[in-house]
Amino acid sequence: MFVCEGAHKEGLPEMPRVDGIWRDEAYQREYRRLEEFERDRVFCRHGAPHLLDTARIMWALNLELGLGFDREVVYAAALLHDIGKAAQYADGEPHEIAGARLAGEILDRLPSPLAFTEAERAAILDAIRVHRHLPEDAAPLARLLWQADKASRACFACPPAVRRACSWPDAKKNLLIRV
């Protein structure tokens, strides 16, 4: 049986830094606020399924393109990219701005064994900051997050009435299964 180094008994790699983010009190508070804001939302939600789909697509692209990003950097960026969404619903602050601020605070609170390097932290925060409006000169991690965030939307599986009512233009909707 193939088992990755540092793997759980199930054979999957551990991600203690990502687990640290998930368990952070502020992360959990903002995540629960977002769940409450989106409780009755019929369109795509921004909960764990979206965050993990984004992370897995980012990871697949990272491997396919040979970019060499650390798994936990990829998952951290994906897990944190919509953490500012509740602030956007509550007071109109763009979620990429609120998200970068909140993510910075969360990353700063990680205990030293779980801390990301300054370069990793900067790349994660930059990716969050630009994930809605990608500049032409965007860094590779930001490009991965932007691409995976959009690709994670399963518009093809949406009920037709919901798809028609969605504010995304048809050209932007994922009507085919793809990465």
Side-chain angles (χ1 to χ4, degrees), residues 81-96:
H81 85 277
D82 281 336
I83 198 62
K85 204 77 162 140
Q88 182 172 317
Y89 288 134
D91 60 27
E93 180 180 15
H95 80 270
E96 67 274 21

Side-chain angles (χ1 to χ4, degrees), residues 133-160:
H133 308 287
L134 192 71
E136 283 188 37
D137 63 344
L141 186 67
R143 286 192 180 285
L144 279 182
L145 178 57
W146 181 85
Q147 192 172 11
D149 185 35
K150 307 312 175 250
S152 71
R153 304 300 185 179
C155 305
F156 58 85
C158 249

Side-chain angles (χ1 to χ4, degrees), residues 17 107-117:
R17 298 188 296 173
L107 293 173
D108 288 346
R109 272 195 303 278
L110 290 173
S112 62
L114 303 180
F116 289 85
T117 68

Side-chain angles (χ1 to χ4, degrees), residues 1-132:
M1 175 176 151
F2 172 76
V3 178
C4 296
E5 186 176 318
H8 284 280
K9 61 185 174 195
E10 297 88 9
L12 300 174
E14 294 181 7
M15 293 193 291
R17 298 188 296 173
V18 173
D19 289 335
I21 291 168
W22 179 260
R23 288 191 304 267
D24 181 83
E25 185 179 314
Y27 184 91
Q28 284 298 309
R29 180 189 67 240
E30 292 302 310
Y31 183 85
R32 299 295 172 226
R33 280 182 64 206
L34 178 55
E35 280 187 323
E36 185 57 31
F37 276 114
E38 292 188 342
R39 182 185 43 184
D40 298 323
R41 183 179 164 111
V42 296
F43 302 106
C44 300
R45 293 185 183 158
H46 299 89
H50 167 63
L51 301 174
L52 291 174
D53 285 349
T54 300
R56 291 172 178 141
I57 292 169
M58 283 179 75
W59 184 245
L61 289 171
N62 175 56
L63 295 176
E64 287 177 7
L65 298 172
L67 296 175
F69 286 109
D70 177 85
R71 180 188 316 268
E72 289 199 271
V73 170
V74 166
Y75 272 74
L79 201 65
L80 289 163
H81 85 277
D82 281 336
I83 198 62
K85 204 77 162 140
Q88 182 172 317
Y89 288 134
D91 60 27
E93 180 180 15
H95 80 270
E96 67 274 21
I97 304 303
R101 178 178 38 77
L102 290 165
E105 294 168 7
I106 291 164
L107 293 173
D108 288 346
R109 272 195 303 278
L110 290 173
S112 62
L114 303 180
F116 289 85
T117 68
E118 277 305 311
E120 290 170 332
R121 181 186 183 282
I124 291 166
L125 297 180
D126 174 63
I128 293 166
R129 205 174 292 108
V130 302
H131 84 273
R132 288 184 66 205

